Amino acid sequence: MDSNKNMGNSVFIISLLLTLIFIVWGVFFTDNLAKVTDIIYNGSIDYLGWVYLGATLFFVIFSIYLLFSKYGDIRLGKKTDRPDFNTASWLAMLFGAGMGIGIVYWSVAEPVTHYTSPPYGEGYTIDAANTAMKYTFFHWGLDPWAIYTVIGLALAFFQYNKRLPAAISSAFHPILGDRIYGPIGKTIDILSIFATVFGIATSLGLGAMQVTAGMHDLFGVPNQLFVQMIVIVVATIIFIISINTGLERGIQYLSNAAMILSFAIMLLILIVGPTLTVIKVFFNTTGLYISDFIHMSLRLKPFGEGEWIASWTLFYWAWWIAWAPFVGMFIARVSKGRTVREFVIGVLVVPTLGTCLWMSIFGGSALELVLNSGNHDLAKKITKDVSLSIFTFFDYLPLSSVLSILGFAVVVIYYITVADTATFVLGMLSEGGTLNPSNKIKMTWGVIQSALAAVLLLAGGLNVLQTASIAAALPFAIILVVMCFSLVKGLKSEVEVQRGNKRSANHS
């Protein structure tokens, strides 16, 4: 217990110091940081983009293998353990942590942007619209959720079945043994915290910009830096209050509310929008997505410019991997008592279907407005200012005011949920892997995250930091592949233990 506490203290202190050093670099030497991170990021994409493609396809195949494997019946925890949360709340929480605010931000902007500048062929055509939807499904479908499945399942299994601390290093126990408690394990955990803090600070900064853009569209509030600062302060106060209510109340209630509002918006658009087109888009794009999945997964341009692939597919794969420690840790925390098969269905299959449906409704409706209803100015407005795209889109639908208010509420709730969830995970990671971190540690990280987002917004360093987070994803892609082999070793030993117990019970 003491060793865990000491380990937690040293991980917390070193992570905090590194965070402060990076803040100073980002604020006072922004140009230098931008130059360094650009070189690393561009180098990793240009020379090692194939690593991202290969690793991500491997995670999808590995997740599907787990679904149908002999390990599917293994329960996360004791055989008598049952889930802490009902299935609806569980799905709502993992969806909110995984990509809630992202699908609101990109569901209209991405299909329309691909329609105007497609990966191949001519823009502004029917073929471009079909390709746009297909690639939107691809970027938000099986691949990101497979990344979360791999890391979430590995963390949950080693926490609940092997009784190891809730830390990223625990997932390497079959390979590293007790060295996870030494310098190697601490280094893995410090890197995880470091990646999580900056990934979240970047998202909070960008989220504050989107909330302010929504307030400007709805209420005419000036879209200025000063208002963005106020948004961050108010959101911090709200999520710190939420932190103190614990996982069972704050995060669960917020996630449920976001999910209910999301369903309400989807249904409303389906009813007042082009219903038949949306249904056709869903079926047609699902077919295209399945039939072209392998080609899209391995698509590179060895004999030409691969700028589109680097800017979209490789960027997304790096971004999802950079988010994996945070989302995986949270999914593991709320998944005790579920079997491996339930876990894979809940984390891989259900969110993929839900996301594709959401993209069909938002993206399909937006493309219908541009392509068949002659609203070409909508495409121009959306590609000009992506942060306003969802509100611009609502302006072209009936009941636009109601939709804008609901959309704004969803953005705000997802924003607070992500901040709340991230603070919880950082507390777990920096307190030696405890499942219930203290309020003091959670509040400390909450204030640091918000301060970091605010300072970097003021210094103009947010985009730089986003690049830095993604540049760090490459080594993590390789770490995740190793984690898969570690997980299989752990699952094999679990099956052997269960067989041994069964034989003992039969002989007695």
Side-chain angles (χ1 to χ4, degrees), residues 22-35:
F22 217 82
I23 291 172
V24 171
W25 191 10
V27 171
F28 295 105
F29 307 98
T30 312
D31 291 341
N32 179 266
L33 179 62
K35 197 175 169 185

Side-chain angles (χ1 to χ4, degrees), residues 425-442:
V425 168
L426 287 169
M428 286 167 66
L429 286 169
S430 56
E431 276 200 326
T434 175
L435 291 176
N436 292 300
S438 65
N439 285 341
K440 193 176 155 189
I441 290 284
K442 286 189 288 185

Side-chain angles (χ1 to χ4, degrees), residues 103-115 128-130 132-134 136-137 140 266 269-270 274 277-279 281-282 285 355-372 378 382 389-390 393-394 397:
I103 61 164
V104 180
Y105 192 89
W106 283 110
S107 55
V108 168
E110 182 164 342
V112 172
T113 308
H114 294 341
Y115 168 69
N130 287 326
M133 287 307 306
K134 181 177 71 175
T136 305
F137 271 34
W140 295 84
M266 276 170 63
I269 294 176
L270 197 60
T277 302
V278 166
I279 295 169
V281 165
F282 179 72
T285 313
T355 307
C356 290
L357 187 61
W358 175 279
M359 292 299 183
S360 298
I361 292 173
F362 281 75
S365 300
L367 287 175
E368 166 72 16
L369 286 170
V370 174
L371 195 63
N372 292 333
L378 175 60
I382 286 171
S389 61
I390 193 90
F393 163 65
F394 288 153
L397 291 172

